Amino acid sequence: MSITIKDHNVFHLQTDHCSYLFTALPTGQLAQLYYGAKVNQNNTFQNLATREWHDSTTSVDFDHPDYQKELIKAEYSDFGTGDFREPAFQITNPDGSRITNLNFVNAKVVDGKSRLAHLPSTFDENADDAQTLSITMEDKPTSLKVELFYTIFPHQDVIVRSARFTNNGDDAIDINRALSAQIDLPDHDYDLITFAGSWARERHLVRRHLFPGLQGVESLRTASSHQENPFFMLARPHTDNDQGAVYGFNLVYSGNFSDIVDVDQFGTARVLTGINPQEFGWHLKTGSSFQTPEAIMSFTTNGMNQLSQQMSAFYQQHLVNQRFSRELRPILINNWEATYFDFDQEKLMKIAHNAHEVGIEMFVLDDGWFGHRDDDTSSLGDWFVNEKKLPNGLQPVVDHVHGLKMKFGLWFEPEMINKDSQLYQDHPEWMIHVPGRPATPGRNQYVLDMTDPDVRDYLFTKINQIIKETGLDYIKWDMNRNITEMYGAQLTKQQQLEFSHRYILGVYDLYDRLTTANPHVLFESCASGGGRFDLGMMYYAPQAWTSDDTDAVERIFIQDGTSYGYSPNMMGAHVSAVPNGQVGRLTSIDTRAKVAFFGDFGYELDITKLPADELAAMKKQIAFYKKYRPVFQQGKFYRLVDPFSGDHNVAAWEVVNNDQSLAIASRYQILNHPNPSYLRLYFRGLDPKKAYTVNGGSERFSGDLLMNAGYFVPRILPAGKEAPADFHADLFVAKAVK
Ligand code: GLA
């Protein structure tokens, strides 16, 4: 058994390489004992539970003066009974008091892991040895029941946590905060690593040492956001990609989140993650329950590459739709940067035709095919074809694409509405706003009230009809502005703080209905690029548009940062035209492809206008990617050189297949410098005993040589237009010799 319950109520959760330990104290509270590298079960762990009385702080009760809440490393902390740190939850009781005394009631272990209702969640449907521990706690005066759930996924060294609140009392209560997980680490000698950004500049790595006090990241945009991401790490100061102890935390949630680290007076570090308590509340009626989203925790002593790999393996086996985690993703062409809003049937067919000639497998029709949309001021909500642009409807284009044996994808922005639309004429009340107050526009558009079941029914009917009638293979679900004037016309006064969470639950409900009704359709999520790059979305849409910035140099940083917390096949990565639309940079088509290969590869440019040499290059790139697609999309990903440190001029990545017979490493150099030093690239994850060739050369290298001594990288010399010396990329394909 991987979860054991010992005398004195010691709970020991063991994965292949980790242990997580906590206990129920004689006073009823749960106390954390340890989370880290695996330890032997044959311990009593009483030493870790030892207390030491401190001056000037309160005791749990009169009979136990040495149990002091400020000193207990808590599993799920309350506020107002002696622990003055950030709490995990808080309740307003029927009498207005905000005190909860949770006491341990019982514990239960079951095999497996079932999905949550109404929330994206992890699962164990391949009998991968998951086990779930549920701990029941109770607040006697109000009969509030709180269950804490812990699932271990032993082979990926992942523990999933969540909490459920059930009101068994006679009166309604209000939940003021309900985070998903808490860890109280005994010291704070860690670096907090988060991923900050902006539109077109998502998920840049930020690393700082923990300091006494509060620190963390959050979103209040009713989206996980471009600005911060729910994924974060705590690493020992010398930990890097290849070695060292590191914890990773992520949330299966797409709305307002809060990742908090509170370093207290004794130097302990309380880690909390969950729904942002600001702009949140939940009115819990008698007999009803509230379930938090799930938090994912993972740990390794072997550095951040190992952490990313185990989390990625976990997502692919226990979070992402299993059909799409196995299937290879199609190489696509998207018409957005080729035409923007300006296209007709002939243009689309020509793009598809030329794309087919070079080997592209899917055509995606982006924004502008519906209502009377010619720019971003109109028609969101009118999910019927734009007859001015496509007088014969969508069908001839879809049939043309299918006739080429290509897949067809279509863009929607389901959650949005323009005032210039039929939908607004018919249902102005469906737009989120506070009656009597102005509504804030964003990109000329407003947001539909996704908490309203009628809105979701309308969207389901319209989108489902188009999928069925035209035979769609793929949907790009966009979301191009954040939510303001949070107010639900359907909600009572007491429920208004529920709005942001209910909005996200509404989005999940629509996703659930559409994906269930159309299991073969691949969804890609998008939010002005990477504004909703999170595990909640990945549950329904296994890939996401990583960023609106397709410049190869910018993408090195964006994809590198994203790779810490997400799988390579979650990242849409396209080659676009130059000068780049976002930064004006000129990079070669070679470099652009060598960056985009490390994701779900595609093109987003006007293929009908490309010169013959670029078309020929494309054809080669596509053939190359098809040959190596399994390792690019499903191989183990390594960061070899970190672009966020040093002079920010070099990055290198690698993917390795399962049996270590194939590895592809890349090396990117942003600016070239004269007379550089002698360079070597160090492979990772090869079989030390196997012999490899590199880039088809005749020399044989043992795996241990390529990993330890490295592989010589020739100096980059100016070589003309095709491969300018700046913004240079190299690939090294290592193949085991039979
Ligand atoms: C967003 C997306 C783009 C594109 C446009 C269309 O910005 O991120 O990829 O779909 O919307 O309006």
Side-chain angles (χ1 to χ4, degrees), residues 247-258:
Y247 298 91
F249 301 89
N250 210 342
L251 261 189
V252 187
Y253 192 57
S254 313
N256 295 339
F257 72 91
S258 194

Side-chain angles (χ1 to χ4, degrees), residues 13-155:
L13 285 62
Q14 278 187 324
T15 62
D16 286 354
H17 307 98
C18 298
S19 281
Y20 184 99
L21 279 149
F22 65 99
T23 189
L25 299 173
T27 48
Q29 292 84 29
L30 293 180
Q32 225 159 68
L33 300 175
Y34 173 70
Y35 180 30
K38 193 170 187 167
V39 295
N40 200 300
Q41 285 202 24
N42 305 325
N43 286 290
T44 61
F45 304 107
Q46 287 313 293
N47 170 267
L48 291 175
T50 308
R51 306 162 308 283
E52 202 177 47
W53 187 85
H54 280 236
D55 282 317
S56 189
T57 183
T58 60
S59 299
V60 166
D61 59 39
F62 201 76
D63 301 328
H64 300 89
D66 53 344
Y67 282 99
Q68 294 170 308
K69 276 206 169 170
E70 275 196 277
L71 286 137
I72 295 174
K73 288 174 216 7
E75 274 303 299
Y76 201 65
S77 55
D78 65 320
F79 181 79
T81 64
D83 184 343
F84 296 91
R85 294 167 286 182
E86 280 285 303
F89 76 100
Q90 196 165 24
I91 306 287
T92 301
N93 297 317
D95 64 3
S97 66
R98 282 174 289 114
I99 300 307
T100 310
N101 303 102
L102 285 189
N103 283 306
F104 174 72
V105 178
N106 59 39
K108 199 172 93 191
V109 179
V110 294
D111 284 338
K113 162 71 170 71
S114 36
R115 296 181 194 237
L116 298 178
H118 314 301
L119 275 171
S121 64
T122 59
F123 48 80
D124 182 35
E125 280 149 23
N126 307 319
D128 196 26
D129 301 333
Q131 274 192 324
T132 303
L133 165 69
S134 44
I135 302 274
T136 301
M137 313 278 292
E138 196 194 15
D139 177 55
K140 280 238 163 67
T142 57
S143 299
L144 168 69
K145 179 168 88 169
V146 177
E147 291 155 287
L148 302 181
F149 301 108
Y150 302 78
T151 301
I152 51 158
F153 291 90
H155 313 311

Side-chain angles (χ1 to χ4, degrees), residues 97-258:
S97 66
R98 282 174 289 114
I99 300 307
T100 310
N101 303 102
L102 285 189
N103 283 306
F104 174 72
V105 178
N106 59 39
K108 199 172 93 191
V109 179
V110 294
D111 284 338
K113 162 71 170 71
S114 36
R115 296 181 194 237
L116 298 178
H118 314 301
L119 275 171
S121 64
T122 59
F123 48 80
D124 182 35
E125 280 149 23
N126 307 319
D128 196 26
D129 301 333
Q131 274 192 324
T132 303
L133 165 69
S134 44
I135 302 274
T136 301
M137 313 278 292
E138 196 194 15
D139 177 55
K140 280 238 163 67
T142 57
S143 299
L144 168 69
K145 179 168 88 169
V146 177
E147 291 155 287
L148 302 181
F149 301 108
Y150 302 78
T151 301
I152 51 158
F153 291 90
H155 313 311
Q156 296 85 32
D157 288 309
V158 162
I159 300 175
V160 171
R161 285 186 61 174
S162 72
R164 183 167 64 197
F165 295 74
T166 303
N167 182 357
N168 291 328
D170 296 331
D171 298 297
I173 59 171
D174 285 286
I175 303 176
N176 310 127
R177 68 157 71 196
L179 295 171
S180 297
Q182 167 174 352
I183 299 286
D184 278 4
L185 294 168
D187 72 79
H188 71 283
D189 190 15
Y190 291 97
D191 291 345
L192 171 63
I193 301 168
T194 58
F195 297 87
S198 183
W199 171 76
R201 187 165 40 77
E202 294 90 341
R203 288 172 298 285
H204 281 220
L205 183 145
V206 182
R207 182 171 185 156
R208 67 287 213 183
H209 197 61
L210 290 181
F211 52 80
L214 271 184
Q215 50 235 284
V217 292
E218 65 168 15
S219 168
L220 282 168
R221 296 167 184 270
T222 313
S224 47
S225 90
H226 294 90
Q227 288 72 15
E228 297 291 354
N229 191 271
F231 173 69
F232 70 105
M233 295 182 283
L234 284 172
R236 288 296 190 192
H238 299 292
T239 296
D240 59 23
N241 276 318
D242 298 314
Q243 57 78 39
V246 54
Y247 298 91
F249 301 89
N250 210 342
L251 261 189
V252 187
Y253 192 57
S254 313
N256 295 339
F257 72 91
S258 194

Side-chain angles (χ1 to χ4, degrees), residues 336 366-367 411 443 476 478 480 526 528-529 545 548 604:
W336 177 241
D366 210 278
D367 196 352
W411 182 97
R443 205 197 190 203
K476 177 176 171 186
D478 211 337
N480 280 313
C526 175
S528 301
W545 184 221
D548 273 350
E604 192 152 340

Side-chain angles (χ1 to χ4, degrees), residues 199 202 226 334-337 340-341 365-368 370 373 375-376 380 411-413 443 445 476-480 524-531 545 547-550 574 604:
W199 171 76
E202 294 90 341
H226 294 90
N334 178 306
N335 76 309
W336 177 241
E337 291 197 25
Y340 294 104
F341 294 102
L365 173 52
D366 210 278
D367 196 352
F370 50 90
R373 190 152 163 107
D375 54 34
D376 64 18
L380 289 171
W411 182 97
F412 287 89
E413 198 177 354
R443 205 197 190 203
Q445 68 198 49
K476 177 176 171 186
W477 176 323
D478 211 337
M479 198 284 288
N480 280 313
E524 171 164 311
S525 82
C526 175
S528 301
W545 184 221
S547 176
D548 273 350
D549 199 331
T550 46
H574 303 169
E604 192 152 340

